[in-house]
Structures are given as C-alpha cells and as structure tokens.
Amino acid sequence: MTDLNINIERLCARLTALGEVGALEGGGNCRLALTEEDRQGRDLVVSWMHALGLQVTTDQIGNVIGVRPNAKGEIELPVLMGSHIDTVATGGLYDGNLGVLAGLEVIEVLNEQRLQTERPVAVAFFTNEEGARFAPDMMGSGVSQGSMDLATCLAATGIDGTTVGEDLQRIGYAGDAACGTWRASAYFELHVEQGPVLERGEFQIGAVTGVQGISWTEWTFRGQSNHAGTTPMNMRCDAGVVASQVVCFVRALAKQMGGSQVATVGAMTFAPNLINVVPNKVTMTVDLRNTDETLLQQAEQATVEFVQGVAAAEGVTVASRSLARFEPVRFDPQMVKLIESSAQAMDLGVHCLPSGAGHDAQMFAPNCPTAMIFVPSVKGISHNVKEFTSAQDIEAGSNLLLNVVLKTAQEPA
Ligand code: GLV
Ligand code: MN
Ligand code: MN
C-alpha cells in the first residue's frame, strides 16, 4: 500500500462546485444528458482536466477522456478511472460525479508527487449514463467499447424530441476521436452504492462483484376516449385501466419472485389526461432487473403475457418498444479480489456485493480488467436530491482508488 493520501477538502470542493451547476432546491442537481446544464458541467470538468495538464480528447459520442502520459510519454492503453456527470432530473451530488472527480483527485496526487508511472493514467466522463433523457443508458461507454452502434445512438430521440447527434452539436461536444476501438488496459470506477447494504452492515467499502441485468420497455396502450359520465362501465376501452393494472402486476411479480428481482414503472403519460374523459392512450415504462438472466427473462415473459391478457379484456391495443436490455455482468474475480484485499490492507471494512444500478464499468468489463468500488449511501437513498455519502467514506473510497490505480499503473501492461 502507498502512504499517499488524497486531499479530501479539494475533492469535496470540486463535488460542491460541480453540484452548483444545475443546482436544485434541497441540495441535489439536475444535469440531464446534453442539456445546457450538462454543457456547463462538462466545461467545468474539462477546465480541471486542462489545469492538471491532461491530454484531453472528445470522441464522436461526446465522451471526454483526459490522459496523463506514462514515463515514456505514451498515452495508449491507460489505466482508466471513469464514470458520468449527467444526472437524472432529481439527481444527488454523488451519483457518477464522485467517480470522475475522485479520478481527477488521484491524478492531482500523482502530479504533486511528480510520480512517473509505467502505464498512462486517465480519467473520463461518459455521455448519457443515466438514460433519463435518451435511451439506452450507459450510451457513451457502450459506444466507446463497441457494444452499441454509434449511428444508432446519434439518431436516438429523447424525451424533448431532439436527437443525441443534434444536442452533441448544440452543446459543442460532438468530438472527432473514433469510438468503438479505443481501449483502456484496466478500468476502475468509484461510485456510491445507491442502496442500503453497506450502511446496514456498517461496511465502508463495497467490492462490486457485477451488475444486474436491466430490461427497459416502453408500452403504449390505445383505447377509446369517451365521456366519463355517460359511458357504461362495460362499454369502455380504457387505456388507463390497463396501464394501472400493469403497475400493480409488475410490483406483485417482483415481490413474488423475490431474490434480486425488482420492477419499477417510473414514467406514465395519459392522453388526453382530463378528469372527465376516458383515456384513449397511455405510454408507460417498465424497468425490470435481476442478477440472473434466466429469471429476468421469466419476468419479461410474465409481463408480456399479463399485458396481452389485460389489454384484450379491455379492448385496448398494445405496442411495445425495447429501450434498453443488458444481461447481468460479472466483474473479473481477480479484480474483485484486488479491491477486497486492498481495502483489508487499509483496515477498511469491506463487503462483496452486486450492483443494483447500471454503470459505465459494465461496458468496459468485456474488454479489460474492470473493477468497481462502492462507498455507502446514507439510508440507501439515490436518484434523489437527498443522496448523501459522508466525507469520511468518500475519503476512504478515494484512497482505495488511489492505491489500486497506482499499483496497476506501476505494472507493465
Ligand atoms: C442508472 O443509473 C440506472 O441504473 O438506471
Ligand atoms: Mn451512476
Ligand atoms: Mn444514476
């Protein structure tokens, strides 16, 4: 273990400064991908990258990578630290931001110490990890690592009706570095847990074993608008009733399946959305997740069968569109072990656990040794302005990041 330490005041000052971009009442921030707020957040982080002397490039999907060359001045195959700085509309200060800013802090320590490394060291933020404005999520890292198609993602239309390509141009982050073939020699992502497991077990560190599978579907139900007062109950084709039954069904399904199965309907739009009109159209999303691919498929199938049955009974038509589909990912056991044993060597309480949230790390896992470090989220709250992780836990996780990055960067690639 190195006896170097990150500077927690400096890291917290950057977290606060980034959180001021798109600040929300109650302490969080809103920087939906490729909005004006995202541009301002990007500009700030890029200015910090330049101040640290990094070689900064922007690729065709808008990912920004700042590289610190190795002792020979090379920039290829760096040891990469990364995450995202886009947020959901109700975002906290830590989700994504921590991984990027802790990466900058690690590099600042290397600079201060004038440490030369065997391998280059880099920090990156990836476009549209959240998927809250444009689906799918993990878009930038997915395109970077070749598992998503660049042209398809540039053409993706978001909830505001614009495309990723248009908005990248508008905010000035349509870069020219090639996507799909760029590689790191190892990838490390520090992230808040966003769940209750570490806090409940009084662990300071999570060594992340993998990420659960994610299935996002948009369902559209079409029935018939009619008068709320005059239409007998047995003559209705009510799209709202179908959608509402689906909400209750997926929740009951997840509870009945147990294990890691979760199910969420996070968005629903009624038309015409009036008190005295039977809804003729509802669009809704269903988010299903499980660590087991077979069980995830069973949940998807059960949902499809339920939807078909309930829609047919109501005389409502159904259309569906897959917004995102990722199989569960397992991180390299040696990398999990590296996090676990390094945390133990630093006297930090560590627990191995899978991630319930999607992360950019899962896009790197097929291409290079990849690891994630979790730090506790108070009360397990995330995607909420009240998201909070103590400075002490941030410091512990960032010092662990510093150790594993330095160890890896001093080994020949
Ligand atoms: C991304 O944050 C997701 O897991 O939905
Ligand atoms: Mn995140
Ligand atoms: Mn998130």
Side-chain angles (χ1 to χ4, degrees):
M1 291 296 110
T2 162
D3 49 16
L4 298 177
N5 283 303
I6 63 102
N7 180 329
I8 186 63
E9 285 79 28
R10 194 165 55 197
L11 173 52
C12 286
R14 286 202 180 108
L15 274 165
T16 304
L18 183 53
E20 278 161 13
V21 184
L24 294 173
E25 218 170 290
N29 44 203
C30 173
R31 289 191 306 279
L32 286 163
L34 311 184
T35 55
E36 175 57 21
E37 290 76 22
D38 187 21
R39 182 187 69 73
Q40 288 174 23
R42 285 165 171 262
D43 288 354
L44 182 60
V45 175
V46 168
S47 73
W48 288 331
M49 286 179 168
H50 284 301
L52 291 175
L54 302 181
Q55 296 194 18
V56 182
T57 53
T58 304
D59 71 18
Q60 293 164 301
I61 194 73
N63 300 317
V64 176
I65 305 181
V67 187
R68 182 178 191 268
N70 68 358
K72 294 183 193 144
E74 295 159 339
I75 58 166
E76 303 294 307
L77 290 171
V79 174
L80 179 64
M81 297 169 282
S83 199
H84 59 100
I85 59 167
D86 70 312
T87 72
V88 295
T90 54
L93 293 189
Y94 307 90
D95 178 359
N97 305 323
L98 175 61
V100 177
L101 302 184
L104 283 178
E105 177 55 35
V106 166
I107 287 177
E108 185 140 15
V109 173
L110 302 185
N111 284 359
E112 280 173 343
Q113 301 297 321
R114 297 179 195 279
L115 258 168
Q116 301 278 341
T117 50
E118 184 76 25
R119 300 192 215 178
V121 177
V123 59
F125 59 83
F126 303 104
T127 296
N128 185 36
E129 187 274 349
E130 292 290 6
R133 184 160 180 252
F134 299 96
D137 49 350
M138 280 86 74
M139 185 183 276
S141 47
V143 173
S144 162
Q145 294 305 293
S147 65
M148 289 183 205
D149 177 59
L150 173 65
T152 308
C153 288
L154 289 175
T157 302
I159 57 175
D160 301 309
T162 54
T163 65
V164 167
E166 286 162 2
D167 280 356
L168 276 172
Q169 293 286 351
R170 192 179 44 75
I171 68 166
Y173 278 88
D176 49 18
C179 284
T181 50
W182 187 87
R183 293 290 179 261
S185 60
Y187 179 85
F188 292 96
E189 183 165 351
L190 172 66
H191 205 285
V192 288
E193 181 203 340
Q194 310 181 269
V197 177
L198 297 179
E199 184 184 64
R200 205 184 279 155
E202 297 184 11
F203 297 106
Q204 260 190 303
I205 297 293
V208 185
T209 52
V211 182
Q212 63 183 349
I214 302 176
S215 165
W216 283 2
T217 307
E218 180 189 79
W219 292 95
T220 303
F221 304 119
R222 284 195 168 81
Q224 189 174 47
S225 297
N226 212 332
H227 195 295
T230 62
T231 315
M233 294 312 288
N234 63 358
M235 287 181 63
R236 295 181 180 217
C237 300
D238 185 334
V241 163
V242 172
S244 305
Q245 289 181 85
V246 175
V247 174
C248 297
F249 173 78
V250 295
R251 185 178 173 94
L253 175 72
K255 283 188 157 179
Q256 175 224 319
M257 287 178 71
S260 68
Q261 182 64 51
V262 286
T264 309
V265 174
M268 195 190 283
T269 322
F270 277 55
N273 204 26
L274 296 169
I275 188 168
N276 55 356
V277 183
V278 174
N280 70 345
K281 183 179 171 199
V282 175
T283 304
M284 66 187 284
T285 57
V286 176
D287 174 324
L288 300 172
R289 307 193 191 200
N290 201 307
T291 48
D292 182 304
E293 173 62 20
T294 307
L295 293 174
L296 183 56
Q297 286 179 16
Q298 284 172 14
E300 291 176 312
Q301 186 56 27
T303 305
V304 168
E305 284 167 17
F306 180 82
V307 165
Q308 283 166 348
V310 78
E314 186 70 19
V316 161
T317 65
V318 178
S320 69
R321 187 163 72 99
S322 174
L323 297 181
R325 183 63 168 89
F326 302 108
E327 289 191 13
V329 172
R330 269 171 190 241
F331 291 137
D332 177 353
Q334 280 183 2
M335 293 295 275
V336 181
K337 193 79 214 150
L338 172 67
I339 302 299
E340 191 185 14
S341 58
S342 304
Q344 283 161 347
M346 295 168 71
D347 278 332
L348 298 169
V350 57
H351 176 67
C352 294
L353 77 172
S355 170
H359 294 294
D360 294 308
Q362 70 194 83
M363 297 298 147
F364 280 82
N367 293 337
C368 67
T370 296
M372 285 195 78
I373 301 167
F374 275 176
V375 284
S377 294
V378 169
K379 297 197 174 104
I381 290 176
S382 185
H383 284 185
N384 181 321
V385 297
K386 299 224 174 318
E387 179 182 85
F388 183 70
T389 297
S390 72
Q392 210 184 1
D393 288 341
I394 289 176
E395 186 173 21
S398 304
N399 276 325
L400 176 58
L401 180 71
L402 170 65
N403 267 290
V404 291
V405 165
L406 195 50
K407 178 175 185 301
T408 309
Q410 293 301 23
E411 289 163 0

